[in-house]
Amino acid sequence: MAISKFEQYSYKEIISNIIEMKNTIPKRRLNNKSIVGICLLVLMATTAIRLYLLNDTFSYNNEDDKHYSWESQDDLQRRRLGQTIEHPFQSTPGSHAKFQETAEVIIQRTYDELKRHGHIPGSGRFNQLLHNKSQRRLAKIPFNTATVKKRTYRNLKKGGKLSPGTIPFNVELQKREKDFLQKQIKKRGLELEKKVHYNQENVKEEQVRTLKNTEDKWVRGNFLKRHKSNMHNRDEQIHEAEVRHTMADESRRLTRDSLYKDAQEGVEAAIELSEQLPESVVSGEEDLNMPEALDSFEPMTMCDRPTDVGTVEDFASFLNNAHCDEFTEEKPIVILANIEGEHLHGRTGNNLLEFLHAVQMARDNNIQLGIMTHSWAMTVLQKMWMSIESADWQAQFESAFCIKIFDFPSELEGWNVRYNTTKELFYYESDTPLSEYIDTQEKALRTLFRNYNHGDGYDTYRLPTQDMCSCIQEIFGDGASTAIYSVVHSRHLEGLPGQRLLKKIARNSGCDPTAALNMEPEYVKSILRPLGMLNYPIVFISDGQDPSVLERLKADPELSHLIHTPSQSSSWLGGDITAAVMSSVFIGNPASSFSGFIAKSRLSLGFGHSYLFRGKDSNGEWRTVCGDSCVFDRNIYGVMA
């Protein structure tokens, strides 16, 4: 069939020719009405031409070559013009599989692209972008399979309401094809998204196993001969602490791996486990209250992220501390209170350490511990833990810490009261063996984190408290519970004083005297690369004193897209602490009591991979010179232990 001249012109070409014709007409012969009239005539003519072509095309489609009845108008036009038709998906067996394969590549590339641009896999924002971008890209893939178009054509013809070859029939045919293809794209896109996420979950599970298998909480730099971390006559004490702590880790791991079906079975297993410990560790409890024991050993989570503390958590410690002794006026009691004329010693990290030292001092000296409701200690604690959320708050607080609460000084009349300044508490050093010291400190830390603030309560001044999960939730969104990430804590420590303190710790531990202050990109990568953590986000928290640290990390091509900093709305001490404590890997400054508190908390919750003590060996390679447990070691950490 001959092709008319008009059929070879596109709509745009016709318009351009009309405009050119208009320009050739002398302007004096035309007025506004003439121009409008010409435009209307042109529009009517082009519309008639396109309708004629459309009907003619489908007439050809229906009558002259039914073998190609499912092809598009553009394809038919090319075929009639003798042009080659190249479809990415031809009407051959396996074309659906071809689409599936290409779609999978598109989604995977979209996933990788979002990750390169710093979006966090698993977060709500990431999933939304992955879905939307994938759908837009999938929609651009031609889906010209014979079976789809042929079936659509036959189904429409079978309906009998429209006659094949007519314009309404062909318009409806195109609409149905489009709807069907969109549904297929959406369906397959969602399936492939799930597949990608499933693959990522497998990768994440493998990464978690890798981190667990590479933990070395008790490593000592045996290649360093001159440091206190390897002093003679301490091997036995360190080994005892390791055995005791490792046994507790094993009990937690049993629960985490779901070997115990219920809490009752878990407690029974814990009792059996406790019988294997030395008698000095366990004090028998004949009248052990089993329901209370069950309540005390529920699996522990923070911000929906699991800890490594399960239903058989440190059962020996529970037996020793399950019941608080009755408070009496005759027995000495140390009161944590604001002392007139005395200022707090240090910032939050120091104040938390002072509270932990007070708990240890009371235990070491067999005295009672009390706290005033409006004291420095209560203020520091309630910012992050133990907010008032119920009428029995005071009883819960006293039971949790075995600390007596006093509201007014007048209530202390008749008590054998002692006071210590925050500076005295900071410099308190216990003579307790390392294993027992770690046990007491870890119990206090776990008690804190079992009672972290959710943002629903208020403090003793009736002021609302903040949510400890704010930082994690803001950064990771819906993926907060399973996110794998690292935290870098940069602490400048007022310059020279911090440098002097770090040098002192370096002499004791063998760590580098400046690396943890500078946090150079190569230092950070030397920790994360062997662990496979350069594929996961890095949350940066700091005291803000040295902005150059963040600038260097962001300038590094390997780290720049991984760095995330909390916004002002979510960045506060409690949010930073939780993000760091619950991270997969923590890199801190050993000269910072804040970093030390985080590392102690991580060890208390069963986590490893806290990197504070790093130095170079004789080959110039970065190595851990003192493991996670060194933050409790007075020979290494001094008064900050």
Side-chain angles (χ1 to χ4, degrees):
M1 187 173 73
I3 305 296
S4 67
K5 182 178 180 181
F6 280 108
E7 292 179 40
Q8 301 180 34
Y9 280 89
S10 68
Y11 188 76
K12 289 184 179 179
E13 289 174 329
I14 293 174
I15 294 297
S16 63
N17 289 337
I18 294 298
I19 293 174
E20 187 177 344
M21 291 170 59
K22 170 185 174 301
N23 293 334
T24 61
I25 299 175
K27 293 184 179 180
R28 64 179 180 272
R29 297 182 183 179
L30 295 175
N31 53 30
N32 291 338
K33 290 184 178 180
S34 300
I35 294 173
V36 172
I38 291 174
C39 291
L40 289 174
L41 287 172
V42 170
L43 180 62
M44 292 172 63
T46 52
T47 302
I49 290 170
R50 292 191 66 81
L51 287 174
Y52 167 78
L53 291 175
L54 180 67
N55 188 58
D56 182 60
T57 299
F58 277 110
S59 175
Y60 171 83
N61 182 351
N62 185 45
E63 297 174 5
D64 297 343
D65 196 347
K66 293 182 179 176
H67 180 68
Y68 298 113
S69 60
W70 52 84
E71 290 191 340
S72 67
Q73 296 179 49
D74 291 338
D75 293 340
L76 288 169
Q77 188 76 342
R78 292 191 191 97
R79 190 179 298 283
R80 291 167 64 188
L81 291 172
Q83 298 175 356
T84 302
I85 301 175
E86 295 182 358
H87 291 158
F89 310 107
Q90 296 293 343
S91 56
T92 57
S95 56
H96 280 69
K98 180 75 173 177
F99 176 86
Q100 185 86 355
E101 180 182 342
T102 305
E104 185 170 350
V105 171
I106 285 178
I107 292 176
Q108 185 64 58
R109 286 179 178 175
T110 305
Y111 184 98
D112 295 338
E113 176 187 312
L114 291 173
K115 193 174 176 181
R116 281 197 306 273
H117 285 81
H119 295 287
I120 300 170
S123 67
R125 175 64 174 162
F126 184 93
N127 292 339
Q128 182 182 14
L129 288 172
L130 178 62
H131 177 82
N132 294 341
K133 284 180 176 290
S134 298
Q135 293 306 322
R136 286 198 297 270
R137 292 171 179 179
L138 287 169
K140 295 178 182 179
I141 303 178
F143 195 90
N144 299 311
T145 57
T147 53
V148 172
K149 291 182 173 292
K150 198 168 187 177
R151 186 178 65 180
T152 308
Y153 180 88
R154 288 176 177 174
N155 288 342
L156 184 59
K157 184 178 179 180
K158 191 183 297 183
K161 294 182 179 181
L162 298 174
S163 301
T166 63
I167 291 178
F169 179 91
N170 294 310
V171 169
E172 180 65 19
L173 178 65
Q174 283 191 326
K175 180 178 180 298
R176 290 195 181 189
E177 288 175 359
K178 184 178 179 181
D179 290 344
F180 177 82
L181 297 179
Q182 284 181 343
K183 289 178 182 178
Q184 290 296 309
I185 289 172
K186 184 175 181 180
K187 176 183 176 182
R188 294 179 180 188
L190 290 173
E191 290 174 354
L192 289 167
E193 283 182 47
K194 290 178 181 178
K195 183 176 181 180
V196 171
H197 285 300
Y198 176 74
N199 291 338
Q200 289 300 318
E201 287 303 317
N202 286 346
V203 172
K204 288 170 72 173
E205 289 176 7
E206 181 61 32
Q207 180 64 28
V208 170
R209 286 193 292 269
T210 298
L211 290 173
K212 180 56 66 176
N213 294 334
T214 53
E215 282 183 357
D216 199 347
K217 303 173 184 177
W218 297 86
V219 65
R220 299 278 166 151
N222 294 325
F223 56 93
L224 299 169
K225 304 297 183 184
R226 64 189 183 279
H227 297 287
K228 290 184 179 179
S229 63
N230 303 308
M231 286 178 64
H232 297 295
N233 303 323
R234 298 193 62 246
D235 293 345
E236 185 176 341
Q237 185 181 155
I238 294 171
H239 179 68
E240 179 186 351
E242 181 179 1
V243 169
R244 180 169 180 161
H245 200 279
T246 303
M247 189 170 291
D249 282 346
E250 281 302 316
S251 69
R252 299 182 189 116
R253 195 163 294 114
L254 288 172
T255 300
R256 187 202 63 205
D257 293 341
S258 302
L259 298 183
Y260 296 135
K261 303 302 181 185
D262 54 39
Q264 175 72 41
E265 188 178 350
V267 170
E268 291 174 357
I271 295 174
E272 182 179 350
L273 178 67
S274 68
E275 293 173 351
Q276 303 172 18
L277 298 173
E279 292 184 4
S280 59
V281 177
V282 183
S283 62
E285 290 286 346
E286 298 297 334
D287 58 343
L288 179 64
N289 187 324
M290 188 59 70
E292 183 177 341
L294 297 179
D295 292 339
S296 300
F297 292 104
E298 293 178 357
M300 181 179 173
T301 61
M302 281 196 67
C303 309
D304 295 326
R305 293 177 66 84
T307 69
D308 214 0
V309 177
T311 58
V312 287
E313 162 208 352
D314 291 331
F315 196 73
S317 177
F318 170 75
L319 293 176
N320 279 322
N321 303 285
H323 304 285
C324 299
D325 294 334
E326 184 179 353
F327 290 96
T328 64
E329 295 182 1
E330 293 76 20
K331 191 175 182 179
I333 184 169
V334 172
I335 300 296
L336 303 178
N338 298 331
I339 301 176
E340 188 174 352
E342 293 288 340
H343 299 285
L344 290 182
H345 183 72
R347 300 182 181 180
T348 302
N350 283 12
N351 301 150
L352 291 170
L353 183 60
E354 289 149 12
F355 170 75
L356 294 174
H357 281 182
V359 172
Q360 189 68 43
M361 184 176 65
R363 180 189 181 280
D364 292 347
N365 297 282
N366 193 27
I367 59 178
Q368 302 174 117
L369 188 61
I371 187 171
M372 300 299 297
T373 53
H374 296 122
S375 65
W376 64 268
M378 187 67 78
T379 300
V380 169
L381 292 178
Q382 283 200 310
K383 284 181 181 178
M384 293 170 275
W385 304 279
M386 297 300 299
S387 64
I388 302 173
E389 298 181 9
S390 61
D392 62 343
W393 166 81
Q394 182 167 327
Q396 291 179 9
F397 187 100
E398 292 179 341
S399 174
F401 291 102
C402 293
I403 298 178
K404 177 68 176 173
I405 295 178
F406 296 91
D407 295 320
F408 305 102
S410 58
E411 297 177 10
L412 295 171
E413 292 182 9
W415 288 78
N416 185 2
V417 177
R418 300 179 185 179
Y419 295 97
N420 289 92
T421 65
T422 53
K423 187 173 184 179
E424 290 171 338
L425 292 173
F426 181 82
Y427 285 100
Y428 175 79
E429 291 192 67
S430 174
D431 294 328
T432 306
L434 181 61
S435 60
E436 294 181 28
Y437 181 75
I438 293 177
D439 186 57
T440 304
Q441 293 287 291
E442 286 191 333
K443 181 183 183 300
L445 287 164
R446 281 193 294 270
T447 302
L448 285 176
F449 284 100
R450 280 191 179 277
N451 297 279
Y452 71 93
N453 291 347
H454 299 79
D456 300 326
Y458 54 91
D459 61 18
T460 54
Y461 293 96
R462 311 297 294 182
L463 297 174
T465 55
Q466 293 179 267
D467 185 0
M468 290 279 279
C469 302
S470 59
C471 181
I472 296 179
Q473 291 175 345
E474 186 215 46
I475 294 177
F476 299 106
D478 296 337
S481 61
T482 59
I484 295 176
Y485 67 98
S486 304
V487 165
V488 172
H489 177 220
S490 172
R491 193 78 166 84
H492 192 58
L493 299 169
E494 289 77 34
L496 289 177
Q499 294 176 22
R500 288 194 294 268
L501 180 56
L502 183 53
K503 286 180 180 178
K504 180 180 179 181
I505 294 173
R507 288 193 296 270
N508 293 342
S509 66
C511 72
D512 189 276
T514 60
L517 278 172
N518 299 328
M519 288 290 177
E520 295 286 350
E522 289 307 316
Y523 175 77
V524 173
K525 288 189 287 187
S526 74
I527 298 170
L528 300 182
R529 184 179 287 112
L531 301 174
M533 289 298 291
L534 288 179
N535 298 319
Y536 297 93
I538 301 171
V539 178
F540 181 86
I541 59 176
S542 75
D543 57 5
Q545 293 183 6
D546 189 3
S548 64
V549 175
L550 180 59
E551 291 171 3
R552 286 194 296 268
L553 294 176
K554 283 189 171 182
D556 185 86
E558 283 187 89
L559 300 177
S560 58
H561 66 287
L562 300 175
I563 301 294
H564 297 269
T565 54
S567 67
Q568 291 184 350
S569 60
S570 67
S571 179
W572 65 290
L573 289 175
D576 289 353
I577 284 178
T578 306
V581 168
M582 300 304 294
S583 64
S584 309
V585 175
F586 173 66
I587 304 174
N589 184 343
S592 164
S593 57
F594 194 72
S595 277
F597 177 83
I598 290 169
K600 291 174 183 176
S601 301
R602 288 174 58 80
L603 198 64
S604 303
L605 299 178
F607 301 139
H609 292 294
S610 297
Y611 296 92
L612 277 70
F613 307 95
R614 298 276 287 180
K616 286 187 175 181
D617 60 19
S618 58
N619 297 321
E621 299 292 331
W622 286 105
R623 294 176 59 176
T624 296
V625 298
C626 212
D628 304 13
S629 60
C630 288
V631 289
F632 286 114
D633 193 328
R634 295 180 294 278
N635 290 77
I636 304 298
Y637 221 29
V639 296
M640 291 200 298

